[in-house]
Amino acid sequence: MVPDKNAATSGELVQLVQEFTRKEGDFESGIQGLTIHVRNAPTEPLHCIYTLSLAVVLQGGKELLQENDVTHCHAGQAMLTTFDLPVVSHVSSASRYTPFIALILKLDYSLIMQTCAELKLSKPPRDMKFQALSSYDVDDGLLDALKRLLMLEKQPSLKAGLLPLIEKEIVVRLLDSPHGMHLRHMAALGSPNGNVLKAVTWLKQNFAQTINMNELAEQAHMSASTFRQHFKALTGTSPLQYLKTLRLQEARDQMLVKGVDATLASNLVGYESASQFSREYSRLFGLPPQKDIQRLRQVHQV
C-alpha cells in the first residue's frame, strides 16, 4: 500500500502545533497573520466576519452558514475566503482525545495582485460562478509550505529572509489550486468587484457613522440597485444587513471584552435607538444583549 503523503504531512503539522500548545483556545504562532485554533468539543454557532484568509483543518471539522448555503470543512481540507463575509460558524467535530485543530493564515491582497501580474494570469471566464467562500481537499505541497512557515518560529536567523518567500509560495500554490479561479476573480482589475471591495473596506472603517446606502453606491460608480446586486453576489447579504452585522458584532465585543453596558455599546456603534438595537441584536444572536453576554461568559468559564 502506498502511504498517504498528505496524511503524513498533516500528522507532522499536528505534532508541530502541539509543540506550541496542548490547550484549547486561539493562539498566535509568532508568525504574523498565522494563528492556531484548538477546540476539545463541538461549539455553538457563532456570528462572525471572515476576512481574506486561508484556513486549513488538520483534525475535526467545522461548518459555516452563509445565507442559506452551508460550507463543510473537515480534516484534510483547505477553506479560502476571498472577501469579508458575515457567516455563522461552529466546530462540528471535536473531542478531548481528538481535538479540532486548524491553522488560519491571513492573506495579503497586494501580494495576490502582484503575483497574478507576475504570472500573467488571465482573467477568469465571465460566466464562472464566483465563490467568496470555497472549500477543497488540501494538497501536500500547500501543507508542506505551511509546515515550513510554522517552523520559522524556531529558526529566528532564517525568519526574515524566508518568511516573504514562503508566503509568496503559498499564494502561488493557491492560484494553481481549485481555489485559483476565485482568487483571480477577486484580483481582476477594473471589475465591479473592485469597487464593491472598496465599499466593504470603507464600511468596516466607518460603520459607526450615519451611512446613506445610495451615496455608497455612487462612490462605487453604480446605481443603487446594481450596487446591491453586486454586493450580495460577493458577500451573500445586502449592504444594509452587512452594516448591521458589523455594528452588532462590534457592540457584542465591546460588552463582552470591555464590559460596557448595552446602551453605551449601541451608541458606540452608531445606533440612535436603544430599543432598535435590542431588537436587531436579539434577531441576530438569538437573545437580548444582557442575556447573550451572560451566556457567553458562562461558556468561556467552562
Side-chain angles (χ1 to χ4, degrees):
M1 181 182 291
V2 179
D4 185 342
K5 286 182 66 183
N6 281 20
T9 307
S10 180
E12 292 171 4
L13 258 175
V14 169
Q15 291 180 357
L16 193 56
V17 166
Q18 289 175 336
E19 291 180 24
F20 281 83
T21 179
R22 290 182 179 273
K23 296 179 181 179
E24 184 178 37
D26 303 322
F27 306 94
E28 300 291 336
S29 68
I31 303 296
Q32 186 175 1
L34 181 64
T35 52
I36 299 167
H37 304 264
V38 181
R39 297 290 184 273
N40 291 334
T43 61
E44 292 187 7
L46 178 68
H47 291 261
C48 52
I49 303 287
Y50 271 37
T51 58
L52 176 61
S53 60
L54 170 72
V56 176
V57 177
L58 302 176
Q59 281 187 177
K62 73 183 310 181
E63 292 180 355
L64 294 100
L65 176 64
Q66 180 202 354
E67 289 289 294
N68 295 319
D69 295 327
V70 179
T71 300
H72 302 275
C73 193
H74 55 72
Q77 289 193 313
M79 182 175 66
L80 180 72
T81 308
T82 57
F83 208 85
D84 292 0
L85 292 173
V87 299
V88 180
S89 169
H90 77 106
V91 171
S92 56
S93 176
S95 71
R96 183 177 178 183
Y97 300 103
T98 309
F100 170 84
I101 300 176
L103 297 175
I104 296 181
L105 177 65
K106 289 186 177 180
L107 300 176
D108 185 334
Y109 180 77
S110 299
L111 179 59
I112 295 168
M113 296 284 288
Q114 174 190 335
T115 305
C116 284
E118 288 177 359
L119 296 177
K120 298 181 179 179
L121 297 175
S122 61
K123 294 182 180 180
R126 288 189 175 185
D127 59 352
M128 188 198 88
K129 184 180 179 182
F130 171 69
Q131 291 177 250
L133 188 67
S134 55
S135 179
Y136 298 102
D137 291 344
V138 66
D139 65 85
D140 191 62
L142 184 57
L143 284 173
D144 183 65
L146 285 168
K147 183 180 74 173
R148 286 183 279 111
L149 188 64
L150 196 55
M151 287 180 66
L152 284 180
E153 185 58 19
K154 297 182 175 183
Q155 303 167 309
S157 62
L158 299 176
K159 188 174 177 179
L162 291 180
L163 179 58
L165 299 179
I166 298 176
E167 288 177 334
K168 186 168 184 177
E169 177 190 347
I170 289 171
V171 170
V172 171
R173 289 187 178 278
L174 286 174
L175 286 167
D176 190 53
S177 75
H179 296 291
M181 280 295 183
H182 305 305
L183 271 180
R184 285 159 62 181
H185 191 282
M186 180 201 72
L189 293 171
S191 71
N193 300 334
N195 291 329
V196 173
L197 178 60
K198 290 177 183 177
V200 168
T201 301
W202 189 89
L203 278 175
K204 287 175 65 180
Q205 295 170 347
N206 301 278
F207 61 81
Q209 297 183 19
T210 300
I211 296 171
N212 185 305
M213 290 300 167
N214 290 334
E215 292 179 359
L216 194 62
E218 289 178 8
Q219 291 178 23
H221 308 293
M222 301 179 198
S223 67
S225 59
T226 300
F227 177 67
R228 284 194 298 272
Q229 179 184 346
H230 283 290
F231 196 102
K232 186 162 187 177
L234 284 172
T235 68
T237 189
S238 69
L240 184 59
Q241 186 57 49
Y242 191 92
L243 173 62
K244 287 181 181 179
T245 302
L246 286 175
R247 286 176 168 174
L248 294 170
Q249 275 283 85
E250 176 63 21
R252 196 187 207 191
D253 289 344
Q254 289 283 340
M255 290 185 288
L256 183 62
V257 178
K258 297 186 179 180
V260 306
D261 62 30
T263 300
L264 178 55
S266 67
N267 290 336
L268 288 172
V269 300
Y271 276 88
E272 296 180 0
S273 167
S275 60
Q276 181 185 359
F277 168 73
S278 184
R279 285 196 305 273
E280 293 183 353
Y281 189 102
S282 300
R283 192 176 300 127
L284 182 61
F285 297 122
L287 287 171
Q290 186 175 356
K291 289 185 178 179
D292 178 56
I293 298 303
Q294 288 175 348
R295 179 183 62 85
L296 287 174
R297 285 179 178 151
Q298 289 171 355
V299 169
H300 286 299
Q301 287 172 358
V302 173

